[in-house]
Amino acid sequence: MSAVSGLRRRSRSAVVGAVLAVVVVVLLLVSLGLGQFRLSPVQVLQALAGDGLGHVVVVQWRLPRALAAVVLGFGLAVAGALFQTVTRNPLASPDVVGLAHGAFTGVLVALAAGAGSWVVLTASAVAGGLAVAVAVWLLASGGVVGGLRLVVVGVGVAALLASVNTWLLLQVELDVAMSASAWGAGSLNGVTAVQTAPAAALTTVLVVGALALSRSLRQIDLGDDVAAATGVRVPAVRTAALLLGVLLVCVATAVVGPVAFVALVAPHVARRLARTPHQPLLLSGAAGALLLLVSDVVAQHALPVPLPAGVVTVSLGGAYLVHLVAREVRRR
Amino acid sequence: MPARSLEAAAPSSSGADRGRRRRAPLLVVLLAGLAALLLAVVLSLAVGAKPLVPAVVLDALAGRGTAEADYVMGLRLPRTAAAVLAGAALAVAGALVQGLTRNPLADPGLLGVNAGAAFAVALGVALLGLSDPWSVLWLALGGACVLSAAVVVVGGVGSASGGSGGGRGGDPLRLVLAGVALGAALSGVTTGLVLSDPDAFDRMRSWNAGSVLGRGWDVLAPAVPFVLAGLVVAAACGRGLDALALGDDLARSQGVRTGRLRLAVVAAVTLLAGAATAVAGPLVFVGLVAPRLARWLVGPHQGRLLVVCLLLGPVLVLLADVLGRVLLPPAEVPVGVVVGVVGAPLLIAVARRSTR
């Protein structure tokens, strides 16, 4: 009985994964054709293979941004799944250790100090996020790795930084505050191959690392004692998973800013689509990639005023989760 | 069928801090809390740009003050009352939400109260140009109530309220997810709205900070009945929440109607947090810190928690407000900012002692 339902669940996961992958690829092709210089998906394919103006527009201008959305959305979602699994808290995301708040504080401080260049802002964001992660880790020391203490300490630190951010926003000039808020929402504007290539490489390595842990994580899901009895080194696996999650978020933050919501929502969407008992890593990644790609397309092409993709991500992801939850309630 | 039961229950914190240390008797905690509240009220009336000695404060309260003291008290009394009202309401709302969801991460904002209030206020400011405290009060209150109702509908709290026939009367995780998702979707729209309108952005960034500055009696009075109603419902829910802490099935076997209970708790949280947010802006962090502190002091029993929260919340907000007046003179730091700065170390200290 359980074997049958397990098999059915696995084949459902495979179908959901395949559908998500196809949708992502199709949307990628469509999005590469959108903009001032409009191309059909077939023309996009020709441009990808061929040369001339179409090749320049599609491969050099649009592809880095679209690929960044796919890869970083994937990475963020995997990070969220890792955090939710390790902390056993469905509301946990890398935000729980204050990464996004710390990154935003870093940028606000840099902006208040008069910095304006992309490199400085990125560096201060990543430095802020990492500093906060280290602080939370130290403050929560002595407890279970990834236990309740880490979560509560992280919430406290995040709230502290949120207060500081609110205050900093009130101190700076209105235009500085607005551009900081736009950055803080997360945006793919101005992303080029220079950022996408290293970010994609790093994300791939980190995701492979996460997949290597997935079997042990599933054992831990059954309980620490069960996992330990089957030879899993529980604290080491937990630490590694949290570290991978933090690094994945740092890579994404460096390129697009704190697009926090993907990490929280994508694992829930994936889990509800596939009806798996745990947060599925790869499916979460696929859902995250789709969410960030759709959001960026909508933010670029469908809105009357240009808005950061992060704003759309929150609305779209939130609305879709509302739909899934409501459907679940109706079905019972 | 098995897929239904796969929703992992949110981790319970009730066991984590139970019986780990000897607690002071409830009476001692209550007396200490009352003394702290009185002290905080006096401080709030005395401290500020024009400091008054406590004797002058007492004279002015008794109607024997100088004209100058009367003027200062006329500004500080409603402000103090606003801090007490918001603090008490948020702390109790937080205790209710943590009991309802069995999740120590829960704060009143989880049910979307904040996001609803912020959206309504942003709409009013951006489209209708309403920004006086009285309009903002009703906008925020209305937004909070509408979004909470939506969360209840989406989260399916009202369904299977009899608790029979396999329905679980609203899974707490599903309720929380509905709140988070609806709140997020709406806050994205709010951000978009505000980012495309500099004037609205400017007003919203100060509303977002949370403040009790300049809240006159006319703004305070309409909020009081909502808070009182919320407190009455909260008091009635205490016993049911204690049973719910043991799990839905055990609660039902004790005769608790879980669906109806959840509905009542959500209503109370909406009234309390909605009114507090309407008065002082989003100070939800109070609703996370105060219940954790109270739980650490008196344990997980809901009745005690609520009473202690009623004292701790106002103390926290009052002290934060007083601190905000003296931190960076002559400017004032908004109370919402100081609450985060003061509350976070408290929360971290308690977490280090009571959780693993």
Side-chain angles (χ1 to χ4, degrees), chain B residues 297-316:
Chain B
L297 284 172
V298 297
H301 182 271
Q302 276 287 337
R304 293 180 189 181
L305 264 185
L306 294 186
V307 177
V308 175
C309 278
L310 214 47
L311 295 173
L312 273 185
V315 171
L316 188 62

Side-chain angles (χ1 to χ4, degrees), chain A residues 56-81:
Chain A
V56 173
V57 169
V58 169
V59 176
Q60 289 186 14
W61 296 358
R62 292 179 187 163
L63 193 60
R65 178 175 181 153
L67 276 184
V70 171
V71 172
L72 298 178
F74 199 102
L76 282 169
V78 169

Side-chain angles (χ1 to χ4, degrees), chain A:
Chain A
M1 177 64 194
S2 70
V4 170
S5 73
L7 196 64
R8 194 175 298 156
R9 205 180 294 137
R10 216 166 299 154
S11 66
R12 184 178 172 94
S13 294
V15 170
V16 170
V19 169
L20 281 175
V22 169
V23 174
V24 166
V25 170
V26 169
L27 194 72
L28 193 63
L29 288 180
V30 171
S31 79
L32 288 178
L34 291 177
Q36 292 268 324
F37 185 74
R38 201 167 281 265
L39 296 167
S40 73
V42 178
Q43 286 170 313
V44 168
L45 283 175
Q46 286 166 347
L48 281 175
D51 48 357
L53 181 60
H55 185 76
V56 173
V57 169
V58 169
V59 176
Q60 289 186 14
W61 296 358
R62 292 179 187 163
L63 193 60
R65 178 175 181 153
L67 276 184
V70 171
V71 172
L72 298 178
F74 199 102
L76 282 169
V78 169
L82 287 173
F83 265 76
Q84 286 171 10
T85 307
V86 169
T87 60
R88 296 208 175 107
N89 196 313
L91 293 181
S93 76
D95 245 6
V96 151
V97 293
L99 276 171
H101 295 91
F104 194 36
T105 309
V107 165
L108 274 171
V109 169
L111 279 175
S117 80
W118 179 83
V119 178
V120 175
L121 290 184
T122 300
S124 37
V126 173
L130 277 180
V132 171
V134 171
V136 169
W137 184 263
L138 291 178
L139 281 171
S141 60
V144 174
V145 177
L148 183 59
R149 184 188 287 187
L150 179 82
V151 173
V152 180
V153 168
V155 168
V157 171
L160 179 76
L161 286 172
S163 290
V164 172
N165 292 346
T166 309
W167 186 75
L168 282 173
L169 271 183
L170 282 170
Q171 299 310 301
V172 296
E173 296 295 322
L174 181 58
D175 54 334
V176 176
M178 283 192 78
S179 57
S181 291
W183 188 90
S187 166
L188 285 141
N189 281 343
V191 171
T192 62
V194 182
Q195 294 114 306
T196 303
L202 279 173
T203 303
T204 310
V205 171
L206 293 169
V207 168
V208 169
L211 287 177
L213 289 179
S214 66
R215 183 174 288 270
S216 308
L217 284 174
R218 221 168 292 165
Q219 297 287 330
I220 291 179
D221 231 19
L222 301 173
D224 288 3
D225 297 339
V226 177
T230 54
V232 175
R233 287 182 300 158
V234 176
V237 171
R238 284 223 171 108
T239 310
L242 290 179
L243 192 63
L244 285 173
V246 166
L247 290 177
L248 278 169
V249 174
C250 277
V251 172
T253 307
V255 179
V256 296
V259 192
F261 199 62
V262 176
L264 175 68
V265 81
H268 283 290
V269 169
R271 184 174 157 183
R272 279 173 165 67
L273 288 176
R275 301 193 194 140
T276 53
H278 50 268
Q279 317 285 35
L281 284 183
L282 278 179
L283 285 184
S284 301
L290 183 59
L291 177 58
L292 198 52
L293 183 61
V294 172
S295 302
D296 192 42
V297 170
V298 171
Q300 269 192 97
H301 305 297
L303 292 178
V305 280
L307 282 177
V311 174
V312 184
T313 308
V314 173
S315 289
L316 276 185
Y320 191 58
L321 190 56
V322 169
H323 165 72
L324 286 177
V325 171
R327 203 182 57 178
E328 223 167 73
V329 170
R330 268 204 312 276
R331 254 198 321 217
R332 61 180 36 249

Side-chain angles (χ1 to χ4, degrees), chain B residues 241-301:
Chain B
L241 280 176
D242 279 334
L244 204 62
L246 306 172
D248 278 27
D249 294 336
L250 267 175
R252 226 173 278 128
S253 71
Q254 292 181 22
V256 176
R257 294 180 163 188
T258 53
R260 196 182 281 190
L261 175 70
R262 290 210 164 94
L263 212 54
V265 171
V266 172
V269 170
T270 306
L271 289 170
L272 290 167
T277 307
V279 166
L283 305 177
V284 270
F285 192 53
V286 178
L288 194 139
V289 178
R292 294 280 321 159
L293 277 177
R295 181 185 276 271
W296 181 65
L297 284 172
V298 297
H301 182 271

